[in-house]
Amino acid sequence: MGLDLGAHLVRLGIVSSTSDYASVVSINLFVALLCACIVIGHLLEENRWMNESITALIIGLCAGVVILLTTKGKSSHILVFSEDLFFTYLLPPIIFNAGFQVKKKQFFRNFMTIMLFGAVGTLISFAIISFGAVEVFKKMDIGGLELGDFLAIGAIFSATDSVCTLQVLNQDETPLLYSLVFGEGVVNDATSVVLFNAIQNFDLVHIDAGVGLKFVGNFFYLFVSSTLLGACTGLLSAYIIKKLYFGRHSTDREVALMMLMAYLSYMLAELLDLSGILTVFFCGIVMSHYTWHNVTESSRITTKHAFATLSFIAEVFLFVYVGMDALDIEKWRFVSDTPGKSIGVSAILLGLVLVGRAAFVFPLSFLSNLAKKSSSEKIVFKQQVVIWWAGLMRGAVSIALAYNKFTSSGHTQLLGNAIMITSTITVVLFSTMVFGMLTKPLINLLLPPSSRITESFTSDVGTPKLSSPLLENVPGFEPEAEGQGRDIIRPSSLQMFLRKPSRTVHYYWRKFDDGFMRPVFGGRGFVPFVPGSPTEQSVHVRDSIEEMGK
């Protein structure tokens, strides 16, 4: 997503002052729209039907209508779409902030289920959507689409909108659902992009077992390599800041280094043909666990709000533009002779998305439950319905992939390609508006507030917890999410005090983390000490409070 080429030429002084004035007007209008989205979104914050994404979409649609009327049908947007700029500049801050803010304990406790949904589930959805597209669209005669196009359609519509998930689910109210749906969304986006790129590169004419094995091996290589690259970049930033301790001289250097190292991880992944989404997500997780604790308190406050602000602006930017681009008259002109066919394609794609997601959410939830011993850790049917519904939304990733496949520089002259572009826009608008608006009411219906409170207490372990300072030094004990320690649930028997801590994976990780990782890379309890620094006097208390929200 980015400015038209004319805007860049203006900066270089190549084009005339008339174009300069037009570009300045366009930028002013778009910035004004972003401000309007923020203000109106704030006013509608408590509305059970609306969220920031839907508000931005509606404002984008309204702005598109106004631009259409003022330009007499020539254009509906003031910026020009570019999937390269979308993946390069707008997606990284959104995914990084999600990893930086995610509650790590909840995420890694459900890591296998998240991977099951995000990787295996995406492959199942991809297969169903691709097969359905081949069987149905060939009979509809919508243009000269080939096998590679149908497989690309499967990858495009398997990509859930993890940005919308941030808007419709609350990390504190429904921690388990948020962890599962959002974590799945990040892995899902990465899997869809890997699938899409693989389809572009593999020889689809001669498909055999060798090609299938090569694809599976390529996927696991990309996942492991991308994850390790993100973790290594985060650890490197932590080590540099811990050893050099920039905060003694300049908070600005600390903040700048964290931002640049985070972005470097994403660009390195793209340079090495890895998954930048996975890399920057895990870089955010590692930075929040180590690097963030090594900087001064002012740097912590600055980075936390800076990352959140960049992510928020990118999200609003995306949805405003999607709303405006949906009314682009050029895209609809090619399908104006066959509007019924375009609507039919959109309806079929929506149906395939519904079926494809249901085909893996419920069976994989059943398999996941078989592996869980405690009933409180299992995903009940009502939660499965919410997971299925919340993951139906399609967003900017789908649009970017569709533009990459079916257009050249945002334009197309082929009927089949034009139908796929307009159908993608229709599915994105419908799924975001309808499914997004109904998600909050559905959660309130299936999971009333009382059950959410119970979930927040029992989602971590299957037994009641006692939040007490006396337990803070017990190995394996970790404070729970912020606000959960206010109401103490008393133990049902004295066995709770006498029971030895279970030797879980988390317990051994904490032991390794405290014994090796934190002394080397810093983190909570291992921050640099500067005599006389007011920041360090209460650092352990503040770190413990901040860790409660992780």
Side-chain angles (χ1 to χ4, degrees):
M1 198 87 58
L3 296 177
D4 189 9
L5 179 61
H8 298 292
L9 296 178
V10 165
R11 302 299 180 196
L12 299 175
I14 297 174
V15 297
S16 65
S17 59
T18 304
S19 300
D20 191 358
Y21 177 77
S23 299
V24 171
V25 170
S26 299
I27 294 171
N28 274 277
L29 287 174
F30 204 86
V31 171
L33 286 175
L34 295 179
C35 293
C37 288
I38 294 172
V39 173
I40 296 174
H42 176 73
L43 295 176
L44 298 175
E45 187 177 9
E46 300 300 325
N47 189 289
R48 61 182 298 194
W49 303 98
M50 301 295 288
N51 58 57
E52 298 281 357
S53 304
I54 297 173
T55 303
L57 267 179
I58 293 174
I59 290 177
L61 285 169
C62 294
V65 171
V66 173
I67 296 171
L68 269 176
L69 295 175
T70 54
T71 60
K72 298 180 180 180
K74 294 181 180 179
S75 177
S76 66
H77 50 71
I78 51 182
L79 300 179
V80 176
F81 186 90
S82 169
E83 66 273 9
D84 292 332
L85 292 178
F86 160 71
F87 281 112
T88 304
Y89 297 113
L90 292 180
L91 193 60
I94 296 173
I95 302 301
F96 175 80
N97 183 65
F100 194 75
Q101 303 287 352
V102 76
K103 293 184 178 179
K104 298 181 289 294
K105 188 174 180 180
Q106 187 70 252
F107 177 81
F108 285 105
R109 175 168 283 111
N110 299 294
F111 185 74
M112 293 308 298
T113 305
I114 288 170
M115 287 303 303
L116 199 63
F117 283 173
V120 179
T122 303
L123 292 175
I124 294 173
S125 178
F126 161 75
I128 290 175
I129 295 174
S130 298
F131 180 77
V134 170
E135 292 297 314
V136 178
F137 292 160
K138 280 187 175 180
K139 298 177 182 178
M140 294 181 65
D141 188 26
I142 62 173
L145 298 181
E146 300 176 349
L147 177 61
D149 298 320
F150 293 120
L151 294 177
I153 291 170
I156 289 167
F157 290 98
S158 296
T160 61
D161 188 3
S162 47
V163 177
C164 262
T165 304
L166 296 172
Q167 304 287 341
V168 300
L169 291 178
N170 188 291
Q171 187 168 203
D172 296 318
E173 293 180 359
T174 54
L176 176 62
L177 290 179
Y178 182 94
S179 175
L180 290 176
V181 178
F182 174 71
E184 176 224 329
V186 173
V187 179
N188 169 283
D189 284 346
T191 306
S192 298
V193 173
V194 170
L195 274 171
F196 184 84
N197 292 332
I199 292 166
Q200 304 291 85
N201 298 327
F202 280 123
D203 180 13
L204 300 175
V205 178
H206 305 94
I207 299 179
D208 53 22
V211 173
L213 289 174
K214 184 179 179 182
F215 171 77
V216 172
N218 187 47
F219 171 76
F220 282 106
Y221 163 75
L222 285 174
F223 182 85
V224 174
S225 301
S226 302
T227 302
L228 288 176
L229 178 61
C232 290
T233 310
L235 290 174
L236 180 61
S237 69
Y239 186 80
I240 291 174
I241 288 181
K242 181 175 182 292
K243 287 298 181 182
L244 301 182
Y245 194 38
F246 286 113
R248 290 179 179 175
H249 309 288
S250 173
T251 296
D252 297 338
R253 291 193 181 95
E254 285 183 332
V255 177
L257 185 65
M258 287 185 69
M259 287 185 170
L260 291 174
M261 290 290 284
Y263 190 64
L264 179 64
S265 70
Y266 184 87
M267 295 311 298
L268 277 175
E270 295 298 310
L271 180 66
L272 299 173
D273 291 327
L274 302 177
S275 172
I277 295 174
L278 281 175
T279 297
V280 78
F281 179 72
F282 281 99
C283 180
I285 291 178
V286 172
M287 276 195 174
S288 71
H289 190 65
Y290 297 107
T291 315
W292 190 76
H293 294 283
N294 293 344
V295 300
T296 58
E297 189 167 349
S298 59
S299 296
R300 295 180 199 175
I301 296 171
T302 303
T303 51
K304 192 170 185 178
H305 290 288
F307 292 142
T309 302
L310 289 173
S311 173
F312 176 73
I313 293 175
E315 292 170 19
V316 175
F317 187 105
L318 281 175
F319 286 105
V320 170
Y321 186 81
V322 168
M324 296 172 66
D325 192 60
L327 297 176
D328 185 11
I329 197 69
E330 182 180 338
K331 299 180 183 67
W332 296 98
R333 186 181 292 120
F334 290 100
V335 298
S336 59
D337 295 334
T338 57
K341 187 174 290 187
S342 180
I343 294 173
V345 169
S346 302
I348 291 168
L349 287 171
L350 270 171
L352 290 174
V353 168
L354 288 164
V355 174
R357 184 158 182 81
F360 76 82
V361 167
F362 298 106
L364 294 184
S365 295
F366 174 76
L367 291 177
S368 176
N369 288 340
L370 291 178
K372 295 180 179 178
K373 299 178 181 179
S374 173
S375 59
S376 62
E377 295 179 348
K378 295 182 178 181
I379 309 170
V380 300
F381 181 73
K382 290 181 178 180
Q383 292 174 328
Q384 294 175 28
V385 172
V386 175
I387 292 171
W388 168 71
W389 185 268
L392 291 173
M393 290 171 285
R394 299 296 178 262
V397 173
S398 295
I399 289 183
L401 294 179
Y403 269 67
N404 183 282
K405 180 64 180 178
F406 296 109
T407 71
S408 174
S409 301
H411 305 286
T412 181
Q413 304 292 330
L414 302 175
L415 175 62
N417 289 358
I419 288 178
M420 292 315 306
I421 291 294
T422 55
S423 298
T424 302
I425 292 172
T426 303
V427 170
V428 168
L429 286 177
F430 184 88
S431 62
T432 303
M433 298 281 285
V434 177
F435 299 151
M437 289 178 69
L438 294 177
T439 300
K440 286 182 181 179
L442 181 68
I443 292 175
N444 291 331
L445 176 65
L446 296 178
L447 304 171
S450 58
S451 66
R452 292 183 217 166
I453 295 173
T454 304
E455 178 195 344
S456 67
F457 280 109
T458 61
S459 60
D460 287 334
V461 294
T463 56
K465 299 191 205 77
L466 179 66
S467 178
S468 168
L470 295 175
L471 297 176
E472 289 183 357
N473 293 320
V474 176
F477 176 84
E478 184 176 6
E480 296 305 317
E482 195 169 343
Q484 292 180 13
R486 295 172 187 169
D487 300 321
I488 296 178
I489 296 182
R490 300 187 180 280
S492 56
S493 67
L494 290 175
Q495 283 184 327
M496 183 172 181
F497 292 104
L498 302 176
R499 186 182 299 151
K500 286 184 67 176
S502 60
R503 297 301 192 259
T504 62
V505 174
H506 178 257
Y507 167 78
Y508 288 110
W509 160 249
R510 287 298 298 268
K511 197 171 181 180
F512 172 74
D513 193 27
D514 292 337
F516 175 74
M517 297 297 289
R518 289 184 180 182
V520 175
F521 299 104
R524 183 170 60 93
F526 292 88
V527 294
F529 178 75
V530 179
S533 171
T535 302
E536 303 302 327
Q537 291 174 4
S538 57
V539 70
H540 295 291
V541 176
R542 289 196 181 96
D543 282 345
S544 298
I545 294 173
E546 292 292 345
E547 186 71 12
M548 288 165 63
K550 298 293 182 183

